[in-house]
Amino acid sequence: MRDSEVLVTHHKALMELSHNIGFIEMPRPRKLAALTELCTRLLGIQRASIWRFPPERDRITCEWLHDEGQPGRNNGIKEESVGYSLFRSDHPEYFQAITAERVIAVENAQNDPRTRSFDRGYLSVQNIHAMLDAPIFDGEQFSGVVCLESHERREWSVPDISLAVAIADTISLMNTHEAWLRSKRALEYVRRYDSLTGLANIDSLRDRLGHLVRKIKRRGAGSLALIWIDVDRLKTINDGLGPQAGDQVIADIGLRLKEIQLAGKDFLARIGGDEFALVIRNYTLPSSLNEVTREIQSRIRQPIRVSDQNLTVSASLGICHFPGDCREPEELLRGAEAAMYHAKRQGRDRSTLFDSEIQMTARSRFALESELRETLKTNGLDVFYQPIMDRTGKQLESMEALVRWQHPQRGWLSPIEFLDVARSAGLMYELGACVLRNVCAHWRDAKNRNIPLPTISVNLSAEQVLVPELPERVKEICNTQDMPVSALQFEVTEDSIQGDFSLIGRVLEQLVEAGAELAIDDFGTGYSSLSRLKSLPFSRIKIDRSFIKNLPDDEDDCAITLSIIGLARGLGLSVVAEGVENDAHEAWLFEKGCDYLQGYLYSKPLPFSEIIGRYYSD
C-alpha cells in the first residue's frame, strides 16, 4: 500500500475514534487508553505512552502507558509505570532534542545520541529498538510527549510520523478543552458562590426558589418558607475592629448556619454583606418555624472569638411563605426582606412573619424603587443648593448640591424618603451620576449667562467611592457639559472610607488629580482613624450639625467642636460648621476661628433658579 493510502487509512481511523460521541464523553484516562491502543494496532508496535511536563519542567512524567506485552491487564497499561519520571539532568541530549526538534524519529534508540542515555535500565530491559516521539501542547506551551516504541529497528515512515503528530495534536486539543472546562467551572463557582463563606449566592438562591415554586405549582402540593437573616450591628464591628473582624464574624455565622440541623432545611445562601437566606420545605407551620428561628438565633448569639475578645452578636429574621404570602419566587424574596426590616424596626434580635401590614409597606417600597429606576433612566431627579458662607456669614463661599425628587403623585421628596430605597436596590452609583449631570447642566447654564458660580460640593456615597471607574466617569460627565472638574468639591462621610483602603485611596487621589477638592462630611459621627485622614487628600472637614445644635451652652459640644477645629488646623484643613441656625451659633464659631458656615440661618436648600436669583440678581 502506498504511503498516501496508509496515511489516509490512519487518519480515517483516528477521526472515527476522536469524533465518536462515546469517545468525547469518556474521562481522560479512557481517552488516552483508546488513543494509545489505536497507535499500537495501526503501526504494529508494542508500546505507546503519554508523558507530561510538571510545572518545574525538569522532568517528564508518565501519565499513561499501553503495553501490548501486558494483555488483559487494565487494557494494557502497566500500572507501575504511571508516575515514573525521567529527569532532564540524566538525559540532557533527549530533552534538548525534543525541545528543539519537536519530533524525534529514531531507528536505533540504543545507539542514537539523542536517546542512548535511556539504555541504562530501560531500552535493553524493555527490548526497545526504535522510538518515535511527538510534542503535546497546552495552548502555546509545550507540555508533554507522545512516545511510540518498537521492539524492532524501524525506519519511521511519513504516515507513521503523521499519525504520531495527529495523536499528539488530539491530546493537545483535549488539554485545551479541559483547561476551558476548568476555567468555566471556576467562573461558574465565582458567579454562583460566595468567596468568603463558600455558600451559594443570591443568583443560586433565585434559581433554587424558581425550581421549587414551579414544582409546587405543578404538583399542587407542598410549601416553602424563606427566612431572611440579617446580622445586627455588623457595621459597629467593622468600624470598631476593622473590616477583617466583620468578615470573620460573617464567616463564622455562615459556618454555624451551614452546620445547623433543622427540619425541612433545603438551601442556604449568603445574599448580601451581612445577610443570609434559608429555605425550609414543607415544615412551615408556625410551631415548626418558631423552633427553627429560636435555634438560628441561639446559634448566632453564641460568642465569637475575634481579635482576642469574645463578641456577642444577634440577628433579625424575616419569614415569608409560599404559597400563602406570595405567588412568585421574587415576591417570596421581597416579602422575607420586608419582614426582616420590620423586625429591625421593632428592636432587632427578633423574627417577624410577613403579613398584610408589612405587605402594604413593602408594596409601597417596591413601587417607589421601580419609579426611582425609571426616573434615573431619564435623569429626572432635581438638585437643590444650600449656600456655604465665609466665617462672617456675609459672603457666599461655595454651595452644596442636594438631591431632591419631584414625584408625580407624592410631590417633593427629600433624600431621607428615597435614599434608603436607592441603597438597598443598588442604585446609589447611578443616582450619584444623575446628580452630577444636573450640577454640570446648571453650571453650564450659569456660564452661558455670564454668572460665575463658586465651587459646588457634591456628595459621594460609599457605593461610589468603591468603584474604580468613578474618576473617569466624573471626567466624562464634566466634559460633556464643558465643566472643569476643578469647579467641584466632593464630600464623603467617615463611614464611606472604611472599605478597601487602597482602592478608596486610588479613587480619591485620581479625583484630586483631575482637579477636584475633597471634604469629609458629618465629621465626628463615624469612625475614622487619624492615619486614614492624613493619608487621604482631603482639604476640608465639615463638623456635623449634631455638635453645633447646642452651642454655645453645651460644654461637651463646645469641647468637641474646638477639638475638631484644632485637629483640622494641625492637618492643614479648613473647617465648615453645618447646622448653623441662629446668631449665637454664628458668633461663637466666628470667635473660635471656624472658616465657613452652613445652615438655615443663611438659607434652606433652594432650587437652582432661586439660588441664582438670591445671590446673583442685579
Side-chain angles (χ1 to χ4, degrees):
M1 188 181 296
R2 291 180 301 176
D3 279 358
S4 60
E5 294 173 341
V6 174
L7 190 149
V8 169
T9 300
H10 287 177
H11 280 269
K12 180 181 178 182
L14 177 58
M15 291 303 101
E16 287 176 350
L17 172 65
S18 61
H19 287 71
N20 182 281
I21 187 66
F23 177 87
I24 293 171
E25 294 178 351
M26 285 179 184
R28 181 181 177 89
R30 290 186 60 193
K31 288 180 179 178
L32 298 181
L35 290 169
T36 50
E37 188 279 331
L38 181 70
C39 283
T40 59
R41 177 164 50 84
L42 291 178
L43 300 185
I45 59 176
Q46 290 70 44
R47 290 162 62 95
S49 54
I50 312 299
W51 299 72
R52 302 198 75 171
F53 283 107
E56 300 82 4
R57 304 187 68 78
D58 62 340
R59 76 199 78 172
I60 52 174
T61 300
C62 185
E63 181 181 6
W64 191 266
L65 168 65
H66 181 90
D67 189 341
E68 287 293 318
Q70 301 290 326
R73 186 176 169 188
N74 196 16
N75 293 323
I77 183 173
K78 198 169 183 179
E79 296 171 359
E80 60 267 25
S81 297
V82 174
Y84 179 74
S85 294
L86 298 170
F87 287 85
R88 181 186 296 271
S89 58
D90 295 330
H91 311 285
E93 293 86 359
Y94 172 80
F95 277 84
Q96 182 180 355
I98 194 65
T99 302
E101 301 174 26
R102 297 305 197 199
V103 176
I104 297 179
V106 178
E107 180 180 353
N108 186 350
Q110 296 179 19
N111 291 326
D112 192 288
R114 295 169 294 181
T115 56
R116 63 189 175 193
S117 62
F118 295 135
D119 191 35
R120 297 187 300 272
Y122 179 62
L123 296 178
S124 298
V125 172
Q126 299 295 337
N127 191 31
I128 296 168
H129 289 278
M131 290 177 63
L132 173 59
D133 288 7
I136 298 170
F137 292 88
D138 277 343
E140 296 181 351
Q141 185 175 24
F142 178 35
S143 66
V145 175
V146 170
C147 181
L148 308 181
E149 299 167 332
S150 173
H151 285 175
E152 300 174 355
R153 290 188 182 182
R154 177 175 182 145
E155 184 176 347
W156 300 101
S157 67
V158 171
D160 297 340
I161 296 172
S162 178
L163 178 62
V165 170
I167 293 289
D169 287 345
T170 300
I171 298 173
S172 297
L173 289 173
M174 287 167 47
N175 291 341
T176 300
H177 180 66
E178 290 166 4
W180 176 79
L181 288 176
R182 289 193 297 271
S183 176
K184 183 181 178 183
R185 285 193 293 268
L187 184 62
E188 182 71 4
Y189 183 87
V190 170
R191 190 179 73 83
R192 301 186 63 81
Y193 291 87
D194 169 55
S195 59
L196 177 62
T197 63
L199 299 176
N201 63 15
I202 186 78
D203 292 332
S204 298
L205 176 64
R206 284 193 169 98
D207 288 347
R208 182 61 180 168
L209 290 177
H211 169 75
L212 294 176
V213 166
R214 288 191 298 271
K215 189 174 181 180
I216 292 172
K217 287 181 177 179
R218 185 171 63 251
R219 292 182 174 181
S223 62
L224 296 176
L226 179 64
I227 304 175
W228 193 293
I229 304 165
D230 184 281
V231 180
D232 295 327
R233 297 187 176 92
L234 184 69
K235 183 177 180 299
T236 303
I237 296 173
N238 284 330
D239 289 348
L241 299 177
Q244 293 82 6
D247 285 348
Q248 186 177 336
V249 169
I250 289 299
D252 195 279
I253 291 175
L255 181 61
R256 294 180 185 185
L257 293 174
K258 185 177 181 179
E259 293 176 345
I260 194 171
Q261 300 296 314
L262 300 167
K265 181 181 178 182
D266 178 85
F267 198 83
L268 175 65
R270 183 190 180 199
I271 52 178
D274 56 0
E275 295 173 316
F276 300 85
L278 179 66
V279 179
I280 301 293
R281 291 180 65 186
N282 299 326
Y283 292 83
T284 57
L285 293 175
S287 57
S288 297
L289 290 178
N290 284 338
E291 292 183 15
V292 167
T293 55
R294 280 198 299 269
E295 180 66 17
I296 290 172
Q297 290 177 313
S298 174
R299 290 290 186 94
I300 291 176
R301 289 191 199 105
Q302 293 175 10
I304 299 173
R305 190 71 176 174
V306 177
S307 301
D308 296 326
Q309 58 183 295
N310 289 326
L311 300 181
T312 302
V313 298
S314 62
S316 300
L317 278 57
I319 306 166
C320 188
H321 290 84
F322 175 85
D325 296 327
C326 58
R327 293 175 294 180
E328 299 297 335
E330 197 63 28
E331 294 175 2
L332 187 61
L333 282 165
R334 298 284 195 177
E337 182 183 21
M340 179 276 295
Y341 277 118
H342 186 78
K344 278 194 175 294
R345 288 192 292 270
Q346 297 300 310
R348 296 183 173 87
D349 193 22
R350 62 186 64 202
S351 62
T352 301
L353 291 169
F354 187 77
D355 58 21
S356 57
E357 179 184 349
I358 295 174
Q359 186 176 37
M360 291 180 62
T361 303
R363 283 178 177 172
S364 175
R365 183 183 179 91
F366 301 153
L368 191 65
E369 177 186 321
S370 178
E371 291 161 353
L372 181 57
R373 288 183 185 276
E374 292 303 314
T375 298
L376 289 174
K377 288 178 182 178
T378 60
N379 209 47
L381 295 179
D382 291 275
V383 175
F384 282 22
Y385 296 89
Q386 188 174 33
I388 299 174
M389 312 302 289
D390 70 359
R391 61 195 298 261
T392 67
K394 309 300 181 186
Q395 183 69 36
L396 178 67
E397 189 270 339
S398 58
M399 303 188 298
E400 181 178 1
L402 299 164
V403 65
R404 297 290 186 270
W405 183 11
Q406 189 172 30
H407 192 279
Q409 285 80 42
R410 309 184 194 197
W412 284 109
L413 299 180
S414 66
I416 197 172
E417 297 175 88
F418 63 87
L419 283 186
D420 185 52
V421 172
R423 184 166 287 108
S424 63
L427 297 174
M428 290 299 292
Y429 187 74
E430 285 306 317
L431 188 148
C434 178
V435 170
L436 183 56
R437 281 192 290 268
N438 278 318
V439 168
C440 290
H442 289 155
W443 189 91
R444 185 174 183 180
D445 177 51
K447 179 184 177 183
N448 292 339
R449 294 157 58 184
N450 294 317
I451 298 174
L453 292 182
T455 299
I456 299 176
S457 291
V458 177
N459 292 284
L460 293 179
S461 66
E463 292 82 356
Q464 289 174 280
V465 297
L466 286 170
V467 177
E469 296 77 20
L470 176 65
E472 289 303 317
R473 191 164 195 192
V474 167
K475 288 189 283 188
E476 175 191 346
I477 292 172
C478 288
N479 288 339
T480 300
Q481 296 289 346
D482 195 27
M483 177 183 183
V485 179
S486 59
L488 294 170
Q489 180 177 83
F490 290 106
E491 299 184 9
V492 296
T493 63
E494 291 180 274
D495 293 337
S496 297
I497 59 174
Q498 295 309 306
D500 184 335
F501 184 66
S502 61
L503 171 59
I504 293 171
R506 287 195 302 273
V507 169
L508 297 181
E509 288 283 359
Q510 289 171 20
L511 288 174
V512 171
E513 289 171 4
E517 294 183 338
L518 294 178
I520 305 175
D521 196 14
D522 299 335
F523 187 81
T525 61
Y527 172 86
S528 59
S529 66
L530 289 180
S531 63
R532 285 205 162 199
L533 292 183
K534 73 176 184 179
S535 300
L536 294 172
F538 293 108
S539 59
R540 178 172 293 191
I541 287 178
K542 299 187 75 175
I543 305 175
D544 186 70
R545 67 188 69 248
S546 62
F547 301 119
I548 306 300
K549 182 179 180 180
N550 295 316
L551 294 180
D553 301 320
D554 188 296
E555 293 183 359
D556 291 336
D557 286 344
C558 288
I560 291 171
T561 302
L562 283 173
S563 68
I564 294 175
I565 293 173
L567 172 65
R569 292 284 180 269
L571 294 174
L573 309 177
S574 61
V575 182
V576 180
E578 299 179 299
V580 179
E581 297 183 355
N582 55 54
D583 293 336
H585 291 163
E586 181 185 74
W588 191 89
L589 290 164
F590 176 84
E591 178 187 346
K592 302 305 178 184
C594 185
D595 300 293
Y596 307 111
L597 310 174
Q598 179 181 3
Y600 275 44
L601 177 62
Y602 312 107
S603 175
K604 65 180 181 180
L606 298 172
F608 178 68
S609 59
E610 293 187 30
I611 202 83
I612 292 296
R614 170 175 293 195
Y615 290 98
Y616 295 97
S617 58
D618 294 333

